[in-house]
């Protein structure tokens, strides 16, 4: 076997085993992606302009892409290669997090090509795309490695996957790899997610599909695993003996803006709960994996998602365990704002929710009887994403009632954004001659603890996809289990009339507060 061959894993190691010159424990040695061609469908869209293209420049600037890395843009514009370079250069200068280096840009730009498509059904365009990619293999040394980023509406997946398969673009040469990167939503229900998976399987194997949930690329999400499994002080308490309940919140203080065409067909539950919040639940509740490899992490997440139940104390009552709403017209931040039905592009008879909350239980020994409350919404009080693990109160307090009047439950709050870090809420004595206890907080903040900024989520996710490293990407089984949880809720809401209204700048509709009050609890005010 030729020792110069690269492995299908995409890490650039010889096929016969790891590179003996590199110590895998040496964190100073970054992982560098193999030479490859990244074909980006939807390169002129908002996601590519604001996130993907700046992230690619930053990866190149950090030395994490091969000098042979090549980017092929696919779109309907009448562009040549120089037009693409000009477009990517402008977006990179506007959105990159690293300084501009002309030499890095020149090297990156040399590998850029544009292929014009009259439509995604243009068979001749796929032939031209095949010729361009084959030429890059020969002239740039990309070794036949190809990744396809499908940043397109799901409705185009059948046409694109069928034609990619027919064009020969995914025919593998020995020692090369093929991967597909797709953005959420992964279907709009369980059946459509399975159909989407079958379409993508036309062109790559299941383990070569990378489903992007950008929240999983955030340092603070990855820190959930570090907090739980690298510290002995938390794990003994992380169970039903000590935890009272868990609240997972993703709140936004803005409306839908110009996204009505997308949002009005999706709603908050499909947009956020099915992916972001259920993934956060899985990471918070999973058992310790045997390693941080993709199969090991995935196995534990799947066990949790398979154990999630909608029942409350064994009874299924979705009116009691779910809530939805949509924001009305009013004032927020001292300024008048439109109601959801008044937003441009929203149908006057729309029943789409902009707020969703659900109460879940996990049927296993660790979490039996511990409710998990998930909520998300737009035009809420403020922007925040967090996981709050709220502990049970002490069974006995040797203090007067007056001394503990200002004391709540202990909690560990994992702050995902915008103020990334961890807060611990504890009871402490107030200085003075008499005994009075009050809640205090102990804070760890990323901004104050580390001298370097966290990489943007898409940098990590694009690099991991090119490396073939999958722990941060939901597998098809996870997607299926998530839809199994949410489908009954969506079906129940579809038969239940319009969502309840709520005031802009509030924490959602009254039904959401009733949901948690039934258990004698209240939502965190974050």
């Amino acid at each position: 076997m030729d020792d110069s061959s690269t492995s299908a894993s995409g890490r650039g190691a010889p096929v016969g085993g790891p590179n003996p010159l590199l110590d895998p424990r040496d964190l100073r040695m970054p992982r560098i992606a193999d030479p490859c061609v990244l074909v980006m469908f939807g390169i002129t869209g908002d996601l590519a302009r604001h996130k993907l293209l700046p992230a690619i420049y930053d990866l190149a600037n950090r030395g994490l892409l091969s000098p042979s890395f090549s980017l092929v843009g696919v779109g309907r514009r009448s562009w040549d290669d120089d037009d693409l370079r000009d477009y990517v250069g402008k977006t990179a200068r506007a959105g990159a997090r690293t300084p501009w280096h002309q030499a890095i840009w020149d090297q990156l730009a040399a590998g850029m090509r544009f292929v014009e498509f009259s439509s995604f059904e243009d068979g001749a365009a796929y032939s031209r795309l095949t010729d361009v990619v084959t030429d890059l293999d020969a002239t740039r040394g990309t070794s036949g490695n190809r990744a396809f980023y499908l940043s397109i509406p799901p409705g185009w997946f059948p046409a694109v996957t069928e034609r990619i398969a027919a064009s020969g673009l995914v025919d593998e040469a020995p020692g090369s790899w093929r991967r597909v990167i797709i953005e959420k939503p992964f279907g709009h229900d369980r059946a459509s997610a399975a159909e989407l998976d079958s379409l993508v399987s036309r062109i790559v194997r299941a383990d070569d599909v990378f489903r992007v949930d950008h929240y999983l690329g955030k340092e603070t999400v990855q820190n959930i695993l570090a907090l739980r499994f690298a510290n002995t002080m938390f794990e003994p308490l992380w169970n039903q003996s000590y935890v009272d309940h868990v609240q997972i919140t993703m709140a936004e203080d803005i409306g839908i803006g110009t996204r009505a065409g997308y949002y009005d067909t999706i709603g908050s539950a499909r947009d956020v709960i099915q992916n972001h919040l259920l993934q956060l639940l899985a990471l918070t509740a999973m058992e310790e994996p045997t390693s941080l490899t993709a199969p090991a992490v995935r196995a534990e997440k799947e066990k949790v998602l398979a154990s999630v139940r909608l029942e409350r104390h064994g009874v299924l009552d979705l009116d009691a365990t779910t809530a939805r709403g949509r924001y009305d017209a009013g004032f927020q931040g001292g300024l008048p704002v439109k109601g959801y039905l008044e937003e441009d592009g929203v149908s006057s008879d729309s029943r789409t929710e902009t707020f969703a909350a659900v109460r879940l239980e996990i049927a296993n020994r660790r979490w039996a009887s511990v409710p998990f409350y998930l909520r998300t919404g737009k035009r809420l009080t403020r922007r925040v994403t967090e996981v709050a693990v709220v502990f049970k109160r002490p069974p006995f307090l040797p203090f007067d009632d007056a001394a503990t009047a200002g004391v709540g439950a202990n909690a560990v709050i994992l702050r995902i954004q915008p103020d990334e870090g961890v807060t611990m809420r504890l009871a402490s004595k107030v200085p003075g001659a008499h005994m009075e206890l009050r809640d205090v907080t102990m804070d760890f903040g990323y901004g104050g603890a580390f001298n370097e900024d966290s990489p943007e989520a898409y940098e990590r996710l694009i690099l991991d996809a090119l490396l073939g490293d999958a722990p941060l990407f939901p597998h098809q089984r996870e997607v299926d289990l998530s839809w199994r949880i949410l489908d009954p809720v969506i079906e129940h809401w579809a038969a239940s009339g319009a969502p309840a209204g709520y005031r802009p700048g509030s924490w959602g509709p009254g039904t959401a507060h009733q949901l948690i009050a039934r258990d004698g609890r209240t939502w965190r005010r974050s």
Side-chain angles (χ1 to χ4, degrees):
M1 182 177 291
D2 184 358
D3 287 343
S4 65
S5 299
T6 56
S7 70
S9 70
R11 289 175 176 80
V15 173
N19 189 332
L21 300 179
L22 301 181
D23 185 342
R25 298 169 296 177
D26 188 352
L27 299 181
R28 299 170 300 173
M29 186 63 67
R31 302 173 304 162
I32 299 174
D34 285 342
C36 68
V37 177
L38 176 60
V39 180
M40 188 176 293
F41 289 78
I43 197 167
T44 59
D46 285 346
L47 178 64
R49 183 166 62 253
H50 295 302
K51 296 291 185 181
L52 305 183
L53 298 177
I56 287 171
Y57 171 79
D58 285 333
L59 287 172
N61 214 6
R62 299 183 198 275
L64 299 176
L65 297 181
S66 165
S68 297
F69 173 84
S70 299
L71 174 67
V72 177
V74 172
R76 299 183 182 183
R77 302 189 185 185
S78 298
W79 281 359
D80 60 19
D81 297 344
D82 286 335
D83 291 324
L84 176 65
R85 294 180 183 115
D86 182 62
Y87 166 75
V88 177
K90 289 178 179 176
T91 60
R93 284 181 181 270
R97 295 156 57 92
T98 57
W100 184 263
H101 290 119
Q102 190 62 40
I104 296 294
W105 168 250
D106 290 343
Q107 176 180 283
L108 187 62
M112 292 183 185
R113 305 288 187 271
F114 187 79
V115 178
E116 181 182 352
F117 273 47
S118 60
S119 77
F120 289 133
E121 298 173 326
D122 182 358
Y126 289 89
S127 296
R128 294 195 299 273
L129 176 60
T130 303
D131 292 341
V132 168
V133 172
T134 302
D135 179 69
L136 288 169
D137 285 341
T139 61
R140 297 273 296 174
T142 50
S143 305
N145 298 323
R146 300 167 187 175
F148 300 88
Y149 205 122
L150 305 186
S151 181
I152 56 176
W156 283 112
F157 273 59
V160 171
T161 54
E162 178 182 355
R163 285 161 179 79
I164 287 178
S167 69
L169 277 166
V170 290
D171 295 343
E172 287 195 25
S176 66
W177 48 256
R178 304 287 187 271
R179 298 184 185 125
V180 169
I181 309 168
I182 57 177
E183 289 280 341
K184 74 174 187 71
F186 312 124
H188 60 271
D189 58 16
R190 193 176 185 183
S192 61
E195 181 182 0
L196 175 62
D197 184 64
S198 68
L199 291 171
V200 177
S201 68
R202 292 172 172 175
I203 51 180
V204 292
R205 294 179 293 268
D207 288 344
D208 293 322
V209 180
F210 293 79
R211 299 166 181 83
V212 174
D213 181 342
H214 69 274
Y215 258 68
L216 299 186
K218 292 182 179 292
E219 290 283 344
T220 42
V221 171
Q222 298 163 49
N223 196 46
I224 295 174
L225 298 179
L227 181 84
R228 289 194 56 197
F229 303 129
N231 299 289
T232 57
M233 64 185 294
F234 293 114
E235 190 61 16
L237 308 179
W238 216 260
N239 56 63
Q240 54 85 25
S241 296
Y242 297 97
V243 175
D244 180 75
H245 70 281
V246 178
Q247 296 185 27
I248 305 178
T249 298
M250 178 181 167
E252 295 181 278
D253 57 2
I254 58 173
I256 62 167
T258 60
R259 300 177 66 216
Y262 165 78
Y263 197 89
D264 202 42
T265 63
I266 297 294
S268 286
R270 289 187 176 103
D271 189 41
V272 177
I273 290 180
Q274 185 273 331
N275 40 75
H276 299 333
L277 298 195
L278 285 175
Q279 283 290 319
L280 289 176
L281 177 148
L283 291 170
T284 302
M286 65 187 274
E287 298 296 326
E288 183 174 4
T290 55
S291 70
L292 287 184
T293 60
V297 174
R298 180 189 307 148
E300 299 305 332
K301 289 163 66 180
E302 289 176 1
K303 289 178 186 176
V304 170
L305 293 173
S307 301
V308 170
R309 301 290 184 266
L310 288 164
E311 291 84 0
R312 178 175 180 267
H313 307 316
V315 177
L316 181 62
D317 182 357
L318 295 179
D319 287 327
T321 58
T322 71
R324 61 179 177 141
R326 65 182 175 210
Y327 57 83
D328 294 325
F331 286 82
Q332 188 167 15
L335 298 174
V337 295
K338 296 179 180 178
Y340 178 74
L341 294 181
E342 299 166 347
E343 299 280 13
D344 295 339
V346 174
S347 171
S348 60
D349 60 354
S350 171
R351 288 166 43 173
T352 300
E353 79 283 352
T354 63
F355 177 97
V358 60
R359 178 195 187 278
L360 302 172
E361 295 182 4
I362 299 176
N364 63 23
R365 178 168 295 192
R366 178 184 290 268
W367 296 112
S369 77
V370 177
F372 283 68
Y373 302 98
L374 282 57
R375 62 172 170 170
T376 182
K378 293 187 175 294
R379 290 244 177 263
L380 300 181
T381 303
R382 70 183 186 94
R383 175 174 174 255
V384 62
T385 301
E386 67 176 30
V387 177
V389 180
V390 182
F391 292 90
K392 294 180 178 180
R393 294 175 181 270
F396 171 75
L397 288 172
F399 308 100
D400 295 337
D401 290 344
T404 58
V407 175
N410 295 155
V412 175
I413 298 101
L414 313 176
R415 305 192 308 271
I416 310 299
Q417 69 173 17
D419 181 24
E420 294 90 348
V422 179
T423 296
M424 295 178 62
R425 188 174 68 196
L426 312 168
S428 180
K429 181 184 179 300
V430 177
H434 63 287
M435 179 61 71
E436 179 185 357
L437 276 63
R438 189 178 302 167
D439 284 338
V440 297
T441 59
M442 298 174 61
D443 283 307
F444 150 67
Y446 269 84
F450 300 107
N451 293 325
E452 55 184 288
D453 293 335
S454 301
E456 210 281 329
Y458 274 101
E459 289 181 53
R460 175 71 185 268
L461 294 169
I462 291 172
L463 178 62
D464 281 356
L466 298 182
L467 288 165
D469 198 6
L472 301 181
F473 296 86
H475 196 264
Q476 191 276 333
R477 173 66 173 157
E478 293 175 63
V479 173
D480 179 71
L481 289 169
S482 297
W483 281 120
R484 178 194 65 82
I485 296 165
L486 194 61
D487 270 2
V489 177
I490 299 296
E491 293 169 5
H492 177 73
W493 287 350
S496 302
Y502 62 91
R503 177 177 54 82
S506 69
W507 280 110
T511 51
H513 300 284
Q514 294 165 14
L515 178 155
I516 197 169
R518 290 187 183 95
D519 294 336
R521 302 180 176 97
T522 59
W523 291 109
R524 273 180 45 79
R525 296 295 177 175
S526 300

